[in-house]
Amino acid sequence: MRMGFRSMLTSILFCEVALCSPFPDEVGDFALLDQNGKFHQLSEYGEKKAAVFLAIDKQCQKNTKHLTQYSKLRSAFQAEEIVFFAIDSTGKEIHAGGSFNDATHGTQLSILIDDSQLIAESLGIKSAGEVVVIEPETGVVFYRGGMGFEASQPMDKKTVDAKKSTPAFFDTLRDISSGEIDRGLAPIERETLGCDLDFTYLVEQSDNLPDYATDVAPLLVQKCVTCHFRGGIAPFAMDSHEMVKGWSSMIKEVLLTKRMPPAQVDPSINHFSNARYMESSELQTLIGWINGGSPRGESLEDPLEYIQPIESLWQLGEPDYIVELPTYKVPATGILDYENVSIELPFTKDVWIKSVQFIPGDRRVLHHLMSYIVPAASIEQIAVGANDDAWSFLEGYAPGKEDAAIYPKDTGVFVPTGSAIHMSLHYTTFGQEAVDQTRIGLYFNDEEPRFEYLTYALSHGGSNILIPPNAKEHLNSASHIFEDEIILHGLRPHMHYRGKYMRMIVEYPNGSTEDIINVPNYNFAWQPTYRLTKPMALPAGSRVTIEGAFDNSRYNLGNPDPDSWVRGGAQSWNEMFIGYFSYHKVLH
């Protein structure tokens, strides 16, 4: 059973270091972003012999000296299949150009940002300067404590190879690199000479667990229930305390590994109205409650049992026009080609669409859908995957994208008379035959808006994609110059199963650059169009760039076949690399 945080602190006070171990011998999987917005998950380093974590505090003078020496140690062991990290659990701001990076100049040491302090708690870290050594594949803890040597002690290949007496931390790393480490023993523990970290909030929370009815259930309603309802896309419904408690260990795991909430972005870059942000305090509430046994509390009423079913599938009321797609029978098994269908629109005058909503007939099989407004006369010439200038992107659907897409004020998608709507649908099987008939609800502007809402698809078309077998980080990029001044509203990265991350950047005409969005842990299952809360003005001549990577290794759990060469193509086992930019032009 997991020990409560207050209990751990009490145990520390009454145990002699290296004689009593209040911490577990294994830790669970977790994920954090580093100071550069890169995603790191412990289990993804499973091919490494060990992962080393040094707790840091930029206001601790002793710690700065530790970090300098730690960086030298990293250089000495970097060829030994051991990966080194710093972890900041102070809640104090750290940027890529900060003092810690000055101390580690040239080492590219990743500083993991643990704002919630939950990862430090799970690792048993209590002070800056403390080191934890873990086997990533199993979570076994080899060592916990100080580094045990002075900043003046040399850290080079000679020291690594020397068989003379050295600190226990150093000996642990040497035993790991030589394969002589004993996994059956309790972790080695030594005293840490550093600055105590402030865990006041977590300690107070252990004394007063969050209340289910007033703290936990409202948070679940706000963050989770939109997908976790009966008939929803989530694997279980959060419709009672008992249901949530039964799934609590899974909830904790997906929160600590950042699998949930879905569609997370780097919170340090801009703000997006539909990104699934989870504040540190919210994580602390949910994990603290779960760690405390997920108690029901004293309230006689369960808020989750009072959630009313959705009265209408149409969020904005009855649409002005409903497009009904053909019925598709999806077999229980097999690999399916994309379904491409064009339907003429019967409008006798030009219209402007202000919002659109997709309602799948069966969410279990419709993986995603892309829709475009095209000239009806060109239907017979439409090619699969074409990107004709006459096409106008309408919107896409993907799992979790249940809300209606509402275009920004004073904008709309133009639909001239004589248009058709063209759709590309991707179905996936799940072991049971199903039937899907998707509907698309269109809502019109009452008057012609000031601006046409446009979307540019930045891509090489997949022709340059060739990913080697077992490549863990295969890079790709593309760029485009906007000749007109634009207001940027939305962005969407698109890759397939091997997509790892994507960042979008703008270079202004004066040569300065700015990050627009960073999706650090791309997931093919979640593909929203991220809406900027504050739209960005890009002057004429601005260059936008998409940079990202594919993971074709076995550590990518969604990878169909790590041993295959992967080329660009429409099927999910092929790959795409597209960045969608939604905007309107500035009128002068």
Side-chain angles (χ1 to χ4, degrees):
M1 180 179 293
R2 181 183 176 82
M3 188 176 291
F5 195 77
R6 170 56 65 87
S7 300
M8 290 196 297
L9 293 179
T10 304
S11 299
I12 293 167
L13 294 175
F14 294 97
C15 286
E16 291 293 331
V17 177
L19 297 178
C20 175
S21 176
F23 302 107
D25 294 340
E26 297 180 6
V27 298
D29 198 12
F30 63 88
L32 291 169
L33 301 187
D34 68 16
Q35 78 276 29
N36 299 310
K38 186 170 183 179
F39 179 86
H40 299 272
Q41 186 168 344
L42 179 63
S43 59
E44 291 185 354
Y45 291 92
E47 82 282 5
K48 300 293 185 180
K49 292 178 180 177
V52 188
F53 300 90
L54 169 68
I56 61 171
D57 181 348
K58 66 180 180 181
Q59 294 182 359
C60 179
Q61 187 173 4
K62 296 177 183 177
N63 197 206
T64 303
K65 295 178 180 179
H66 288 147
L67 190 56
T68 303
Q69 191 69 338
Y70 185 70
S71 299
K72 296 177 183 177
L73 190 65
R74 175 187 181 274
S75 299
F77 278 97
Q78 63 184 354
E80 306 296 326
E81 297 184 37
I82 300 175
V83 61
F84 289 75
F85 299 97
I87 180 167
D88 174 64
S89 302
T90 63
K92 300 164 187 172
E93 196 169 358
I94 283 189
H95 294 296
S99 58
F100 279 121
N101 281 274
D102 296 337
T104 61
H105 180 70
T107 67
Q108 299 179 337
L109 182 66
S110 295
I111 303 175
L112 307 182
I113 310 302
D114 178 30
D115 287 337
S116 70
Q117 300 184 317
L118 291 168
I119 304 306
E121 183 215 7
S122 69
L123 297 180
I125 290 172
K126 53 189 180 295
S127 61
E130 185 168 358
V131 178
V132 181
V133 183
I134 304 168
E135 185 175 52
E137 189 169 25
T138 64
V140 169
V141 178
F142 294 137
Y143 179 89
R144 183 183 285 107
M147 289 191 289
F149 43 73
E150 298 299 325
S152 59
Q153 185 168 341
M155 288 293 112
D156 52 26
K157 193 66 170 63
K158 282 185 179 179
T159 312
V160 172
D161 294 336
K163 297 299 180 182
K164 60 186 178 181
S165 176
T166 47
F169 170 54
F170 201 99
D171 291 340
T172 300
L173 296 182
R174 193 159 50 200
D175 289 345
I176 291 170
S177 66
S178 64
E180 297 176 2
I181 194 75
D182 190 342
R183 291 170 178 78
L185 298 178
I188 298 171
E189 297 201 10
R190 292 293 185 268
E191 184 180 7
T192 302
L193 300 176
C195 306
D196 290 342
L197 297 176
D198 183 5
F199 289 106
T200 302
Y201 181 87
L202 293 179
V203 172
E204 291 175 350
Q205 190 182 71
S206 68
D207 288 338
N208 300 284
L209 281 178
D211 179 66
Y212 168 72
T214 59
D215 300 320
V216 176
L219 188 53
L220 297 176
V221 171
Q222 179 187 5
K223 298 289 185 177
C224 311
V225 171
T226 52
C227 291
H228 287 268
F229 63 91
R230 291 193 180 276
I233 60 169
F236 66 95
M238 292 186 178
D239 54 7
S240 69
H241 166 263
E242 287 302 315
M243 182 65 78
V244 175
K245 182 176 181 178
W247 286 91
S248 60
S249 60
M250 173 63 76
I251 294 171
K252 176 180 175 180
E253 178 188 342
V254 298
L255 288 174
L256 292 183
T257 57
K258 295 186 180 293
R259 285 168 54 196
M260 289 286 145
Q264 297 182 51
V265 298
D266 184 344
S268 68
I269 300 175
N270 285 318
H271 186 276
F272 299 87
S273 60
N274 60 334
R276 305 297 183 99
Y277 296 102
M278 182 70 81
E279 301 295 334
S280 294
S281 60
E282 295 170 335
L283 282 170
Q284 290 168 337
T285 295
L286 291 176
I287 300 299
W289 177 72
I290 292 171
N291 286 347
S294 309
R296 173 69 173 79
E298 298 180 0
S299 174
L300 298 178
E301 295 184 344
D302 184 345
L304 295 185
E305 293 180 353
Y306 287 87
I307 296 175
Q308 297 296 316
I310 300 173
E311 294 184 3
S312 171
L313 293 175
W314 300 112
Q315 286 186 334
L316 306 177
E318 191 69 15
D320 293 307
Y321 186 78
I322 297 175
V323 180
E324 293 196 355
L325 276 63
T327 298
Y328 292 102
K329 182 179 290 187
V330 181
T333 60
I335 297 170
L336 309 179
D337 290 331
Y338 277 58
E339 296 288 349
N340 289 277
V341 59
S342 297
I343 298 175
E344 292 191 40
L345 298 172
F347 309 146
T348 57
K349 62 177 182 179
D350 297 346
V351 299
W352 291 80
I353 297 174
K354 64 179 182 181
S355 56
V356 57
Q357 183 179 352
F358 300 90
I359 298 183
D362 194 327
R363 291 176 174 84
R364 298 171 299 177
V365 292
L366 180 59
H367 189 274
H368 72 270
L369 175 158
M370 303 290 284
S371 62
Y372 305 83
I373 302 299
V374 302
S378 68
I379 287 178
E380 294 182 359
Q381 285 76 43
I382 290 176
V384 177
N387 190 16
D388 194 285
D389 291 339
W391 291 29
S392 177
F393 181 71
L394 178 61
E395 190 51 79
Y397 167 84
K401 197 172 183 177
E402 307 300 315
D403 293 338
I406 302 174
Y407 302 131
K409 184 180 178 181
D410 296 327
T411 72
V413 172
F414 180 51
V415 184
T417 306
S419 293
I421 182 169
H422 175 75
M423 290 144 291
S424 177
L425 301 96
H426 180 204
Y427 289 106
T428 55
T429 59
F430 71 103
Q432 179 181 330
E433 186 177 282
V435 175
D436 175 77
Q437 185 179 28
T438 292
R439 291 177 292 166
I440 305 176
L442 305 179
Y443 298 84
F444 303 150
N445 291 81
D446 295 329
E447 299 178 354
E448 180 177 331
R450 291 181 61 200
F451 306 106
E452 183 176 3
Y453 192 72
L454 302 167
T455 296
Y456 178 78
L458 174 54
S459 170
H460 289 307
S463 60
N464 69 327
I465 296 176
L466 182 61
I467 308 171
N470 302 296
K472 194 170 183 182
E473 188 162 355
H474 183 79
L475 302 178
N476 208 336
S477 64
S479 67
H480 168 75
I481 295 177
F482 281 104
E483 302 295 341
D484 300 294
E485 181 181 358
I486 66 168
I487 302 297
L488 185 63
H489 291 281
L491 308 114
R492 184 168 71 89
H494 177 71
M495 295 178 280
H496 289 172
Y497 289 130
R498 294 168 174 88
K500 187 172 186 178
Y501 61 80
M502 185 182 288
R503 185 186 295 260
M504 301 184 181
I505 306 157
V506 57
E507 180 183 353
Y508 295 106
N510 64 6
S512 64
T513 61
E514 183 179 2
D515 286 334
I516 304 174
I517 188 173
N518 174 29
V519 180
N521 184 33
Y522 177 83
N523 188 329
F524 186 40
W526 310 104
Q527 300 183 46
T529 296
Y530 295 97
R531 308 286 182 187
L532 280 157
T533 304
K534 184 179 179 181
M536 295 178 66
L538 305 188
S542 295
R543 178 186 294 274
V544 291
T545 300
I546 55 175
E547 298 177 347
F550 300 100
D551 182 357
N552 194 25
S553 75
R554 65 186 178 91
Y555 296 102
N556 174 3
L557 299 182
N559 193 347
D561 182 6
D563 295 323
S564 67
W565 284 87
V566 182
R567 297 181 179 273
Q571 290 292 350
S572 298
W573 60 85
N574 301 130
E575 269 304 335
M576 289 185 174
F577 189 78
I578 308 173
Y580 292 91
F581 294 79
S582 295
Y583 64 96
H584 76 257
K585 296 180 181 179
V586 175
L587 304 178
H588 294 284

